[in-house]
Amino acid sequence: MTRRIVLSILAAVLIVIGGLTALSGAAIMLLFRSDGRVESGMERITTPTQALVSRTGDVTGVSAAPTWLGRPTMSVTLTDPPGAAATFVGVGPAAAVNAYLANVPHDVVTDVEVTPFVLQTARQPGTRTPAPPGEQTFWVAKGTQNGTTTNLSWQAQDGEYRVVIMNGSAAAGVDTNARFGVAVPGLGNVGLLVLIIGLVILAVGVVLLVIALAMRSRPTAPPGAGSAAAPSSAPAAGPGRDPARVDQAGQ
């Protein structure tokens, strides 16, 4: 295998790897933006029950994550119609939330479709009306109200948690507009670094490909070209000279 073929194969491999790496970095930057945040649009969420509750989320590995990456932060923004009662949003340990909503009718989110936005829920029956959620002490984070807007920001920590949205009075019938977001501060820098690495690998592959295309194979000598006939050592007879007379002259 010639050097030209080896360089061509190596260049092709580097171009593919570099291109895929650069695309991955660009995708991270587009998805999480420069500050590492990704958000949904503002969507209307409703339930005729007392609460809309997420499934149990098992958060692990946050404490072991590198500090430069930053702690993941979850955010929820609720916007209520003018004149409507304030809507509560909180994050609580799964066991405490389960105990609080025991025998309380509520909907559990089982799946989310983005386009179009659809929440798929499972109805949990019950007959009890719980105490107002703002009076509970088990929340690790809960929203703060500013006019018709309620904002929640929670830095994730290891454990099992559930997100609860319900009326501040715990009355049945929740109707509000919500935006959900997740931010990992270091992801923007990670995306940029991956993009740069991919572009460097891609550039090296292109350079090697140009070198391989510029190389010329060494020409091969035709068969027999290297074995020329040896010159004769005998003196050539001159024109018009008789060999027999030459011999007699030498005697």
Side-chain angles (χ1 to χ4, degrees):
M1 184 178 294
T2 65
R3 292 175 56 189
R4 185 178 185 182
I5 296 177
V6 172
L7 279 179
S8 299
I9 295 175
L10 179 59
V13 172
L14 291 178
I15 289 173
V16 172
I17 294 176
L20 293 177
T21 303
L23 288 176
S24 299
I28 293 174
M29 294 183 66
L30 288 175
L31 181 61
F32 289 93
R33 305 187 309 191
S34 60
D35 58 356
R37 178 179 297 275
V38 59
E39 287 183 331
S40 70
M42 185 67 75
E43 304 291 347
R44 183 184 180 190
I45 57 173
T46 63
T47 176
T49 65
Q50 257 79 10
L52 186 67
V53 188
S54 71
R55 290 183 296 182
T56 299
D58 187 5
V59 182
T60 58
V62 173
S63 58
T67 55
W68 60 263
L69 190 60
R71 178 172 292 184
T73 301
M74 185 194 75
S75 62
V76 181
T77 300
L78 303 179
T79 302
D80 298 319
T87 304
F88 172 89
V89 56
V91 179
V97 171
N98 294 342
Y100 173 64
L101 295 177
N103 197 31
V104 173
H106 61 278
D107 284 342
V108 176
V109 177
T110 58
D111 195 12
V112 180
E113 296 181 9
V114 178
T115 307
F117 181 81
V118 176
L119 283 180
Q120 297 182 8
T121 59
R123 181 66 48 83
Q124 306 298 312
T127 57
R128 186 174 65 88
T129 299
E135 299 177 359
Q136 311 307 308
T137 59
F138 59 78
W139 305 110
V140 296
K142 56 184 180 180
T144 57
Q145 187 180 4
N146 182 12
T148 60
T149 302
T150 302
N151 293 296
L152 176 145
S153 180
W154 174 60
Q155 284 193 334
Q157 50 189 310
D158 293 343
E160 294 184 343
Y161 302 93
R162 303 184 76 178
V163 181
V164 179
I165 297 176
M166 57 193 303
N167 289 319
S169 62
V174 178
D175 188 351
T176 188
N177 299 295
R179 176 186 290 115
F180 303 92
V182 175
V184 182
L187 273 184
N189 294 331
V190 170
L192 179 59
L193 179 61
V194 172
L195 175 62
I196 293 175
I197 292 174
L199 291 177
V200 170
I201 296 175
L202 181 62
V204 172
V206 171
V207 171
L208 290 181
L209 182 60
V210 171
I211 294 174
L213 294 177
M215 293 177 66
R216 294 291 182 267
S217 299
R218 180 177 299 176
T220 304
S227 56
S232 174
S233 58
R241 300 180 64 182
D242 187 353
R245 292 182 178 181
V246 173
D247 292 340
Q248 292 177 356
Q251 291 179 354

